[in-house]
Amino acid sequence: MDAILQPSQNLFTSRPQISNNAQLHIKPFFGFFLKPPHSSKKEFTRHGLSLRISASADFQKKRQKKVSTSRPRTAVPAKGFFPKAPTGASVQKQDGRNKGQDDSIPTSSSGASALDVVKPEASDSGELVGSSQEMRIDGEVDNNNGKVGERSPVKESVAIVSESQFGCNKSIVSLDKFENAGALVEAEVGTSAIVEIGLEQNNLDIVQVSPVTKGEIILGTVESVSGIEATIHESLSVDESLENVAALLKADAETALANMEIEAKSLTPTFISEFSEAIEVVEDKVITEVGGFDNVGGLVTSVKPRSMIPSLETSLSEGRLTGEVADIIEAYDASGSIGISEARTIIAEIEKRVEGDEGVDNDGIYSRSEATISDNDQRASVAEGGDGRVEAEGNIPDYDATAASSAPMKEKEVDDSSERLKQEMEAAMRRQVLEELAQENFFKSNKLFTYPKVVSAGEDVEVFLNRSLSPLKDEPNVLIMGAFNDWRWRSFTTKLNKSNLTGDWWSCQIRVPEQAFVIDFVFFNGKNVYDNNDGKDFHIALEGSMDPSAFEDFLLEEKQQELERLAKEQAERDRKAEEQRRIEAEKAAWEADRAQARADVDKQRKNLQEMIKKAPTSVSNVWYFEPSEFDCGDSVKLFYNQNSGPLGRSDEIWIHGGHNGWQEGLSIVARFVKSSRADGDWWYAEVTVPDRACVLDWVFTNGPPQKASVYDNNKRQDFHAAVPKPVADELYWVEQEQVIYRKLQEERRLREEAIRAKAEKTARMKAEMKEKTLKRFLLSQKHIVYTDPLELEAGKAAMVYYNPSNTVLNGKPEVWFRGSFNRWTHRKGPLSPQKMIPAENGSHVKTAVKIPPDAYVMDFVFSEREDGGIFDNKDGMDYHLPVYGGIAKESPMHIVHISVEMAPIAKVGGLGDVVTSLSRAVQDLNHNVDIVLPKYDCMNVSHIKDLHYQRSYSWGGTEIKVWFGKVEGLSVYFLEPVNGFFWVGCIYGRNNDAQRFDFFCHAALEFLQQSGFHPDIIHCHDWSTAPVAWLFKDHYVQYGLTKARVVFTIHNLEFGAGLIGKAMGYADKATTVSHTYSKEVAGNPAIAPYLGKFYGILNGIDPDIWDPFNDKFIPVPYTSENVIEGKQAAKRALQQRLGIKVADIPVVGIISRLTHQKGIHLIKHTIFRTLERNGQVVLLGSAPDPRIQNDFVNLEHQLRTSHSDRARLVLTYDEPLSHLIYAGADFIVVPSIFEPCGLTQLVAMRYGSIPVVRKTGGLYDTVFDVDHDKERAQAQGLEPNGFSFEGADTAGVDYALNRAISAWYDGREWFNSLCKRVMEQDWSWNRPALDYLELYYAARK
């Protein structure tokens, strides 16, 4: 029978140990072998003590070990050995073979041995008062009768107490050091035995055991109790002759200990179980072994020969033992006893056989040589005497380093063998359990079971299927296909194999992840035959797993990690791609620079050769060199006749010169002195000829550089002279090419650095502006609702504040918060209604909301009761606030604009700007945008990238060609019908405009359907594409475009009111271009019936098109940081270009279409009022009405006559000039009678020009008067930014314009700060794009 060992910590060796939780399954060992006197192999040192003792007790019969309770001690013990239980505890061996009990050592749940140690208390006399110790093995402990379960057969020490020791307080009678135990055993005679535990590595502890009587042998069993080593004692009565042995030890304990043999006995793989007997009867002799065993600790025992050598019978049958040994075994079988000499014969034979083996013999026993210590050591021998005396001989051997070095190898072999045996035992037990489970489930007609029966997350499980009970019973292949957590995670497919269990059981092993809470699976044959548990699938619930909610959070974290990984990989790919592009661009630039340098050198060489041919060496009576023959680097005198040119009256004469066609600029400067030559007014200067000069170039002047005022430059031809001895060899031109190449490279580097720095600054400013606008967006509703913190963060809590006094819930006794996340689609559904409580700040109420980690937007409304009642849902839009840092990201929408205008390729008014700019802004927010546009023959195709024909389709009996290209980064599909509707040279202005655009609307919807488009939003604009709304609902929503919703935007209600009204009825949502304009037109019959879905959203401007920092049409790029410098430069450039006076006076700009809507009479009054205030006025615009155009032409002529230095009217469209006016003007006047939105005032502020506007439509929504609109501006998170007036008469214009011009004259510093302020306000599409997205989502809801 196998036994289970619980190893403890080794205190005396450094090799790895088995943990306290480990169990070793080791088979019985057939005895202990004394090593031969001279062994060649070396082993560990000082692992234990071995002592053989002979006694003269007369035991004629083999007796059973008796288990007795404590009995009165007698002076003369009875003959033989009877176990005696000490006071306090008894540890006795039960015969497991007879009683059928397991010999294994039970352990506590923590893995430690079931042994309780209680620390002693000191009595009044200073002695220790006894405490109980218990080792629980299988049964309960009865402290009254001293019965305990079976004693562990490992880690025992011995102490022999002699009569002569009585009366001594303390005496060390035995010292054992056990590997893995390290216990110091100290016996106290007459009172108690004291055991000190855990030398070197553990804290000392003291336990009290039973008193010791003379002539007793104390057997100690060392066990681990929560990391503390304890020793249990057992008393055995001994023969009187043993007192002689004790006396010998008492005489000189240290010598006796030194003479004891130190022997390392390796633990063999077939160890344990049978050596439970402490004393064995061998005829009339007794063999007592005291030994220490590697990997176990100390062991003290003797065993019966039959027990000691359980493998002898097998060895005998195999003929492996000598005849003498065989005879002894047979004699033992007959008599039941063996004499000492016969026993030694057996031992010697086995030692001999083991000695000759290498490694492990056939019985799995390690060779005897592995337990030896040294070739030269002297072993302690105990000779048998006739009187039973014991003679101790020999000395303790010296430590041998060679033996120690071989220890790890031996230990590894032992550990590996033990592990193999452990695995074999576990496999056998597993087979037995599986057979039982297989039979049990088969009899219950269960075709499925698992091992283990209780499956836990993070472990392996083996799934068994009885094929005979399954639809797969006739299939040769059986596979399992499954996943975890309701089929949502980590799918798998594994083949089952036929098991060796009884029946048709097939199995496979599955690793269960720690995050799983259920296994879901079916079986199939790898093709089309399935066993899916009658359609219910198979499911195994797991123990110790996370709950589904925790799993959802785990999935989110896993998704976040995956997204981060993918983003990191994409960023790395982008980086590498950008690096590759940079390298290729750099290489191309280098090649271009090299080619340019080569071309420049060729040109210089050719020019220089021509110059050398033409250049003289002197000019009679004008100039000459002395000497006439000179070389590069020589110093020569240049003579000049002052009277030969314009310097005749100059007091000074200078030379400003260079060489080789001035290729290196000014390289010669020298002052002339008066010459003594008499024939003329000659002067001379000493000059040095530059290196590698072939031709000298110069002029004569009356002063040094930057101070000269009169020049003699040879009638603008300059002077040139050939160097008589030039050095213009090939090396020169090679070097010259390299010089030019390096110069080009440096210029390119500086240029690219400037571009890169500018781009980085632009991106930074845009990001800062976008962040600022977002905060403004969040604060724009503060009078109704806001949060703390202002920016919501996923996974954190936020407080929602609401002011019902400004809503439909004003005066309600209760307010309830009702919300969810991710456009009301969050996986956990809506939040439970929460009653809001009064906040500290007046009329607000508040509630706390926990934001989940996968949120990207928070959605909410308010109600008067928990069950509903009146709602505040923001007029059907609901309240939505963005959430940042969430794991989940919002899915992009697909928006298609159907329009007849698009800037800059087909623009007439603001409609074209809106289509382009809004599309770009929404696309920048990670949504997909396409535009469908007619292909006009008058389009500006230069702004279309990669324009190409794609395909054709038919509608209405007409072939329509589809072209595709990119405009401002947007995908545009151009529809070109062959009927010529758009080959008319214009966008508007034909008599059949309504027919043309109606055809286009049909064609656009047909294109979407035939192309397989499935947009979320179809956005149509103004009367020209209004038919899209009803054509879609009547003809296309049932035929493939079911997903789309229609949004219709009114840009100007002045045109096509009837078509607009019909589109309003069909559209899902409708907008106009400002909030004020939506209120101004709310009473219109086309709008009034549909106010519930009509909203005003302000237009924006494209910050990339209108950007003074990157504007190529203005002289100095500028931002708000240098706005004054930039605008002054632009003003000078504007004045110079238009031919008006260059002066620092206020400039008023007007950029407008000249229509009655724009306030023509107010524009004219503005011109004259500005001139009256001594300002300059510039107008850019044209009139579609010829009469109005002619009127302004006449006005322009009039002003050229009366105010030519201060007024200019440019009556045409000029894009570059418009940029210069926005930058150079101090004010931009927009006196519109009505203005749905207006972009002019927005562009003006972008360039730091101050708007002067009439309060109407979008002008009122964007311009806040510096004197009257401070509170209104603050409500929008802004500061006042201009001047405004209300009336439509000239007095209103005067009121605003006078204040503006006066501010320029009287408070320039304040005015300059106002310019800076308006530049820092964001009038781009950042905010309107967010509003449009909310509208798109509302349309889809």
Side-chain angles (χ1 to χ4, degrees):
M1 177 179 292
D2 290 2
I4 301 175
L5 297 185
Q6 187 83 26
S8 62
Q9 179 64 30
N10 181 2
L11 302 182
F12 295 103
T13 61
S14 60
R15 68 173 180 274
Q17 302 299 321
I18 304 173
S19 68
N20 287 340
N21 291 330
Q23 289 186 338
L24 300 179
H25 293 260
I26 306 174
K27 294 184 178 181
F29 174 51
F30 59 77
F32 310 116
F33 307 135
L34 301 177
K35 68 178 183 179
H38 302 288
S39 176
S40 60
K41 265 199 171 180
K42 299 173 176 57
E43 187 57 339
F44 316 109
T45 64
R46 302 193 65 83
H47 282 90
L49 300 175
S50 180
L51 175 66
R52 181 176 296 130
I53 304 173
S54 295
S56 60
D58 183 27
F59 298 115
Q60 297 295 330
K61 296 182 179 181
K62 174 184 176 183
R63 292 174 293 178
Q64 296 294 327
K65 177 179 177 182
K66 295 183 179 180
V67 179
S68 62
T69 59
S70 299
R71 57 179 177 78
R73 291 185 174 85
T74 59
V76 180
K79 191 175 184 180
F81 293 89
F82 296 94
K84 178 179 180 180
T87 304
S90 175
V91 181
Q92 301 181 359
K93 171 73 176 178
Q94 297 180 1
D95 193 342
R97 293 164 296 172
N98 297 332
K99 298 183 180 181
Q101 298 176 0
D102 189 5
D103 291 344
S104 62
I105 302 172
T107 60
S108 65
S109 61
S110 64
S113 176
L115 174 65
D116 297 326
V117 176
V118 182
K119 292 188 176 183
E121 298 177 355
S123 65
D124 294 338
S125 62
E127 297 178 345
L128 297 174
V129 180
S131 306
S132 65
Q133 306 178 85
E134 300 175 2
M135 175 186 289
R136 301 184 179 89
I137 303 178
D138 296 336
E140 296 290 335
V141 176
D142 185 353
N143 287 330
N144 295 326
N145 57 23
K147 291 183 179 179
V148 186
E150 178 179 86
R151 174 173 43 159
S152 169
V154 300
K155 294 183 280 190
E156 303 187 47
S157 62
V158 90
I160 304 176
V161 184
S162 70
E163 185 175 17
S164 59
Q165 290 175 321
F166 284 103
C168 297
N169 257 349
K170 295 183 179 178
S171 176
I172 297 176
V173 296
S174 180
L175 173 63
D176 280 348
K177 288 187 178 179
F178 302 105
E179 180 181 356
N180 285 351
L184 173 65
V185 181
E186 183 178 291
E188 182 179 2
V189 179
T191 56
S192 62
I194 295 175
V195 183
E196 294 183 358
I197 309 304
L199 288 180
E200 297 183 14
Q201 295 188 21
N202 291 326
N203 295 329
L204 296 181
D205 197 6
I206 300 177
V207 297
Q208 182 174 342
V209 298
S210 61
V212 181
T213 309
K214 74 167 185 172
E216 290 186 339
I217 294 179
I218 310 302
L219 296 178
T221 302
V222 181
E223 292 293 341
S224 175
V225 184
S226 301
I228 300 176
E229 304 293 341
T231 299
I232 308 300
H233 289 69
E234 180 175 319
S235 297
L236 298 176
S237 56
V238 300
D239 193 272
E240 195 170 323
S241 60
L242 288 178
E243 294 179 11
N244 297 324
V245 179
L248 176 62
L249 295 175
K250 177 63 176 67
D252 191 348
E254 294 183 359
T255 302
L257 289 173
N259 289 336
M260 291 181 180
E261 175 187 17
I262 297 175
E263 181 170 341
K265 294 187 178 294
S266 297
L267 175 64
T268 64
T270 55
F271 188 79
I272 289 301
S273 172
E274 296 292 343
F275 49 4
S276 59
E277 303 294 332
I279 303 297
E280 179 54 43
V281 179
V282 183
E283 286 192 283
D284 60 345
K285 309 294 183 183
V286 175
I287 296 177
T288 302
E289 277 286 315
V290 181
F293 293 89
D294 178 26
N295 239 7
V296 178
L299 175 68
V300 179
T301 185
S302 289
V303 299
K304 304 173 185 178
R306 179 70 67 179
S307 304
M308 184 175 69
I309 315 173
S311 301
L312 286 179
E313 290 180 329
T314 303
S315 299
L316 178 61
S317 65
E318 294 176 354
R320 293 169 53 197
L321 299 178
T322 63
E324 181 181 4
V325 174
D327 294 339
I328 295 172
I329 297 302
E330 291 174 357
Y332 175 81
D333 290 337
S335 63
S337 64
I338 301 175
I340 189 66
S341 60
E342 287 83 0
R344 291 195 178 187
T345 301
I346 295 174
I347 292 173
E349 171 64 14
I350 295 176
E351 286 183 333
K352 178 180 178 182
R353 293 188 61 80
V354 174
E355 183 80 16
D357 292 339
E358 287 293 331
V360 182
D361 65 12
N362 293 334
D363 291 325
I365 305 170
Y366 275 75
S367 60
R368 177 64 186 89
S369 59
E370 294 179 3
T372 60
I373 299 176
S374 171
D375 292 337
N376 304 321
D377 63 351
Q378 297 180 0
R379 57 175 297 159
S381 61
V382 181
E384 179 187 356
D387 58 355
R389 296 285 300 270
V390 176
E391 298 177 4
E393 300 176 355
N395 297 316
I396 299 176
D398 296 333
Y399 173 78
D400 193 313
T402 305
S405 66
S406 64
M409 183 179 297
K410 304 301 183 294
E411 292 177 1
K412 183 179 185 304
E413 292 173 348
V414 170
D415 292 343
D416 291 347
S417 183
S418 299
E419 182 62 26
R420 286 195 299 272
L421 291 168
K422 174 186 175 182
Q423 293 173 358
E424 291 174 3
M425 283 296 299
E426 290 175 346
M429 294 174 62
R430 180 177 175 280
R431 281 193 298 271
Q432 181 178 353
V433 172
L434 290 177
E435 282 290 356
E436 293 174 356
L437 288 173
Q439 294 179 17
E440 176 186 350
N441 282 277
F442 180 76
F443 289 135
K444 292 180 179 180
S445 297
N446 294 336
K447 58 184 172 184
L448 177 72
F449 73 88
T450 63
Y451 181 80
K453 294 177 67 175
V454 177
V455 184
S456 300
E459 298 181 353
D460 292 334
V461 60
E462 192 164 5
V463 178
F464 290 84
L465 172 71
N466 194 314
R467 190 181 59 167
S468 65
L469 303 177
S470 167
L472 302 171
K473 61 184 177 181
D474 297 325
E475 301 298 327
N477 296 318
V478 179
L479 293 87
I480 184 172
M481 178 174 61
F484 300 95
N485 301 353
D486 301 326
W487 294 96
R488 295 180 57 196
W489 192 51
R490 290 193 182 180
S491 60
F492 59 87
T493 300
T494 304
K495 185 176 182 180
L496 278 72
N497 297 310
K498 181 70 170 65
S499 72
N500 57 4
L501 299 178
T502 303
D504 195 16
W505 291 99
W506 294 61
S507 70
C508 70
Q509 194 172 70
I510 299 171
R511 179 65 181 177
V512 183
E514 293 182 357
Q515 297 79 13
F517 57 83
V518 65
I519 311 175
D520 316 286
F521 56 94
V522 297
F523 299 99
F524 73 117
N525 68 340
K527 297 179 181 179
N528 56 0
V529 180
Y530 284 82
D531 183 353
N532 61 2
N533 196 21
D534 297 328
K536 296 175 290 186
D537 297 343
F538 296 95
H539 308 281
I540 301 175
L542 304 176
E543 292 289 330
S545 59
M546 63 171 56
D547 58 68
S549 177
F551 173 70
E552 294 291 342
D553 294 338
F554 164 76
L555 281 184
L556 293 176
E557 294 176 3
E558 191 177 62
K559 182 178 180 180
Q560 176 67 16
Q561 294 172 359
E562 177 67 11
L563 291 175
E564 291 175 355
R565 183 187 64 81
L566 292 175
K568 187 176 180 180
E569 292 176 354
Q570 184 61 43
E572 180 63 17
R573 287 194 294 269
D574 293 343
R575 186 194 65 78
K576 291 181 178 179
E578 180 61 29
E579 179 67 14
Q580 184 63 30
R581 284 193 296 269
R582 186 193 65 78
I583 293 173
E584 292 175 356
E586 194 173 65
K587 182 179 178 181
W590 290 345
E591 293 175 352
D593 289 344
R594 178 66 70 184
Q596 181 65 41
R598 191 176 299 113
D600 289 351
V601 164
D602 290 342
K603 183 178 180 181
Q604 288 181 12
R605 192 171 190 174
K606 190 176 293 184
N607 291 340
L608 192 58
Q609 290 172 350
E610 292 294 326
M611 292 175 64
I612 292 173
K613 291 179 181 179
K614 296 179 179 179
T617 57
S618 65
V619 175
S620 177
N621 204 35
V622 179
W623 61 267
Y624 68 92
F625 284 97
E626 190 177 90
S628 59
E629 295 291 328
F630 54 86
D631 201 351
C632 295
D634 291 350
S635 179
V636 297
K637 290 181 179 180
L638 172 62
F639 287 84
Y640 171 66
N641 188 349
Q642 184 179 14
N643 294 328
S644 65
L647 298 177
R649 297 183 179 181
S650 298
D651 296 332
E652 297 181 6
I653 300 176
W654 290 72
I655 179 175
H656 298 176
H659 64 283
N660 296 349
W662 299 96
Q663 66 180 226
E664 293 186 11
L666 192 65
S667 59
I668 302 173
V669 177
R671 182 176 179 176
F672 282 73
V673 296
K674 186 72 174 176
S675 170
S676 59
R677 183 174 173 178
D679 56 339
D681 194 7
W682 289 91
W683 297 65
Y684 74 91
E686 291 190 3
V687 298
T688 301
V689 180
D691 289 341
R692 300 191 179 280
C694 298
V695 175
L696 297 180
D697 317 291
W698 74 91
V699 296
F700 300 106
T701 73
N702 66 343
Q706 299 177 349
K707 291 186 179 181
S709 58
V710 181
Y711 290 84
D712 181 358
N713 58 10
N714 193 23
K715 298 178 181 180
R716 296 188 177 183
Q717 299 296 314
D718 297 342
F719 294 95
H720 305 281
V723 177
K725 299 178 180 179
V727 187
D729 54 11
E730 287 300 321
L731 178 60
Y732 168 79
W733 294 113
V734 171
E735 292 177 351
Q736 187 64 17
E737 179 181 327
Q738 189 64 23
V739 168
I740 296 174
Y741 174 68
R742 285 196 298 266
K743 181 180 178 182
L744 291 172
Q745 280 194 314
E746 181 64 15
E747 290 174 351
R748 183 185 297 277
R749 184 186 65 81
L750 294 174
R751 186 168 59 251
E752 290 177 349
E753 285 182 358
I755 293 173
R756 183 165 54 252
K758 195 171 187 178
E760 290 174 354
K761 184 174 182 178
T762 301
R764 183 173 65 255
M765 291 191 300
K766 289 179 67 175
E768 292 172 352
M769 184 70 76
K770 184 172 291 188
E771 182 180 0
K772 185 178 178 180
T773 300
L774 177 61
K775 290 183 177 179
R776 177 186 161 202
F777 169 75
L778 297 175
L779 288 170
S780 64
Q781 306 177 98
K782 191 172 183 179
H783 63 293
I784 298 176
V785 63
Y786 68 95
T787 62
D788 184 18
L790 190 62
E791 294 186 7
L792 303 179
E793 188 171 349
K796 296 187 177 180
M799 189 69 70
V800 178
Y801 292 87
Y802 175 65
N803 185 1
S805 62
N806 294 324
T807 70
V808 295
L809 298 182
N810 183 30
K812 301 299 180 183
E814 294 181 356
V815 175
W816 289 77
F817 174 89
R818 318 171 81 92
S820 184
F821 302 93
N822 301 353
R823 310 290 174 187
W824 303 96
T825 64
H826 193 263
R827 58 187 173 86
K828 292 185 177 180
L831 301 172
S832 299
Q834 299 172 231
K835 184 178 180 180
M836 305 188 76
I837 61 176
E840 300 78 9
N841 52 346
S843 60
H844 282 77
V845 290
K846 66 179 182 179
T847 190
V849 179
K850 174 65 176 177
I851 303 173
D854 58 337
Y856 50 79
V857 65
M858 183 169 75
D859 322 292
F860 54 95
V861 297
F862 303 95
S863 65
E864 63 174 330
R865 298 193 307 270
E866 182 179 8
D867 59 349
I870 297 176
F871 281 83
D872 173 12
N873 62 2
K874 199 182 177 182
D875 298 327
M877 297 283 288
D878 298 344
Y879 292 95
H880 304 280
L881 292 176
V883 176
Y884 299 95
I887 296 172
K889 302 300 179 184
E890 191 164 19
S891 299
M893 284 187 291
H894 182 197
I895 300 100
V896 174
H897 288 269
I898 300 178
S899 174
V900 298
E901 287 189 47
M902 183 184 183
I905 58 173
K907 174 186 173 181
V908 174
L911 168 59
D913 291 314
V914 170
V915 170
T916 301
S917 300
L918 172 59
S919 299
R920 290 186 60 186
V922 171
Q923 184 170 273
D924 288 344
L925 292 172
N926 300 318
H927 296 277
N928 303 318
V929 182
D930 293 313
I931 297 171
V932 182
L933 192 75
K935 188 176 185 298
Y936 300 104
D937 57 354
C938 59
M939 282 194 315
N940 186 351
V941 296
S942 64
H943 292 283
I944 306 174
K945 291 184 179 180
D946 192 27
L947 178 64
H948 62 278
Y949 169 79
Q950 275 196 341
R951 64 184 184 87
S952 295
Y953 68 100
S954 296
W955 183 82
T958 301
E959 179 189 358
I960 302 171
K961 297 179 180 180
V962 180
W963 299 71
F964 177 82
K966 288 281 189 176
V967 179
E968 300 292 330
L970 297 165
S971 298
V972 184
Y973 295 89
F974 301 93
L975 305 185
E976 183 183 24
V978 296
N979 57 16
F981 272 167
F982 303 106
W983 301 342
V984 293
C986 62
I987 297 175
Y988 302 106
R990 306 290 294 184
N991 293 331
N992 64 340
D993 280 355
Q995 179 187 6
R996 293 165 59 228
F997 294 140
D998 182 75
F999 178 90
F1000 168 69
C1001 292
H1002 269 286
L1005 291 171
E1006 189 69 22
F1007 163 72
L1008 295 180
Q1009 184 184 35
Q1010 292 195 25
S1011 301
F1013 278 56
H1014 298 283
D1016 298 291
I1017 298 294
I1018 297 176
H1019 197 154
C1020 48
H1021 302 266
D1022 253 356
W1023 69 271
S1024 53
T1025 54
V1028 168
W1030 62 81
L1031 291 174
F1032 170 78
K1033 292 292 180 71
D1034 291 343
H1035 301 287
Y1036 289 94
V1037 72
Q1038 308 94 331
Y1039 304 103
L1041 297 179
T1042 56
K1043 179 182 175 183
R1045 298 292 182 268
V1046 174
V1047 173
F1048 176 59
T1049 295
I1050 302 171
H1051 295 265
N1052 195 334
L1053 191 57
E1054 185 180 7
F1055 306 100
L1059 296 176
I1060 289 174
K1062 186 174 181 180
M1064 287 289 296
Y1066 279 88
D1068 295 288
K1069 296 290 181 182
T1071 72
T1072 191
V1073 292
S1074 72
H1075 180 67
T1076 298
Y1077 185 66
S1078 70
K1079 292 190 294 183
E1080 291 173 350
V1081 301
N1084 189 294
I1087 307 298
Y1090 312 107
L1091 292 180
K1093 58 180 178 180
F1094 185 54
Y1095 306 88
I1097 299 178
L1098 195 67
N1099 281 345
I1101 58 173
D1102 192 320
D1104 294 331
I1105 296 175
W1106 302 106
D1107 180 10
F1109 187 59
N1110 293 284
D1111 197 326
K1112 62 184 179 180
F1113 299 126
I1114 62 177
V1116 176
Y1118 63 93
T1119 67
S1120 62
E1121 298 172 354
N1122 64 328
V1123 57
I1124 304 306
E1125 175 192 350
K1127 290 188 69 64
Q1128 287 176 347
K1131 179 184 287 190
R1132 288 193 298 270
L1134 177 63
Q1135 292 167 337
Q1136 290 170 354
R1137 175 171 175 176
L1138 296 179
I1140 58 179
K1141 182 180 179 180
V1142 177
D1144 185 19
I1145 56 178
V1147 175
V1148 174
I1150 303 170
I1151 302 175
S1152 175
R1153 287 184 298 116
L1154 301 177
T1155 64
H1156 290 291
Q1157 173 203 342
K1158 300 299 181 179
I1160 292 176
H1161 66 294
L1162 299 180
I1163 291 175
K1164 291 180 179 179
H1165 182 76
T1166 298
I1167 294 172
F1168 289 105
R1169 185 59 181 164
T1170 301
L1171 295 175
E1172 291 173 2
R1173 293 297 307 269
N1174 198 31
Q1176 291 179 325
V1177 62
V1178 176
L1179 181 146
L1180 175 65
S1182 61
D1185 188 332
R1187 292 173 299 177
I1188 298 176
Q1189 182 75 6
N1190 289 333
D1191 187 20
F1192 273 90
V1193 169
N1194 294 331
L1195 179 60
E1196 195 272 335
H1197 292 322
Q1198 176 187 344
L1199 292 174
R1200 276 188 177 270
T1201 302
S1202 60
H1203 298 87
S1204 61
D1205 61 339
R1206 291 194 292 125
R1208 283 292 181 274
L1209 275 61
V1210 181
L1211 302 176
T1212 186
Y1213 177 76
D1214 190 328
E1215 180 74 12
L1217 181 59
S1218 70
H1219 286 250
L1220 191 57
I1221 294 174
Y1222 280 124
D1226 296 296
F1227 306 98
I1228 297 293
V1229 178
V1230 189
S1232 302
I1233 303 303
F1234 71 92
E1235 191 65 69
C1237 176
L1239 300 179
T1240 303
Q1241 79 280 10
L1242 304 182
V1243 177
M1245 290 187 282
R1246 175 71 168 156
Y1247 281 75
S1249 298
I1250 307 304
V1252 180
V1253 304
R1254 181 176 177 273
K1255 291 184 176 180
T1256 183
L1259 300 175
Y1260 178 79
D1261 290 344
T1262 57
V1263 178
F1264 303 89
D1265 192 282
V1266 295
D1267 296 318
H1268 306 295
D1269 290 332
K1270 292 182 180 180
E1271 292 184 1
R1272 189 168 68 90
Q1274 289 175 357
Q1276 297 294 321
L1278 296 169
E1279 293 183 80
N1281 53 13
F1283 300 88
S1284 61
F1285 61 95
E1286 293 185 359
D1289 54 7
T1290 59
V1293 174
D1294 288 344
Y1295 174 69
L1297 190 58
N1298 284 338
R1299 288 185 295 130
I1301 295 176
S1302 296
W1304 190 93
Y1305 280 117
D1306 302 336
R1308 290 294 293 275
E1309 185 175 348
W1310 175 87
F1311 181 82
N1312 291 340
S1313 68
L1314 181 61
C1315 295
K1316 184 176 188 297
R1317 180 194 306 170
V1318 300
M1319 280 199 74
E1320 293 174 345
Q1321 293 180 347
D1322 184 11
W1323 298 107
S1324 71
W1325 279 94
N1326 288 335
R1327 170 65 187 274
L1330 295 175
D1331 293 331
Y1332 267 104
L1333 285 177
E1334 292 300 313
L1335 185 78
Y1336 291 158
Y1337 283 117
R1340 296 179 61 199
K1341 188 176 67 173

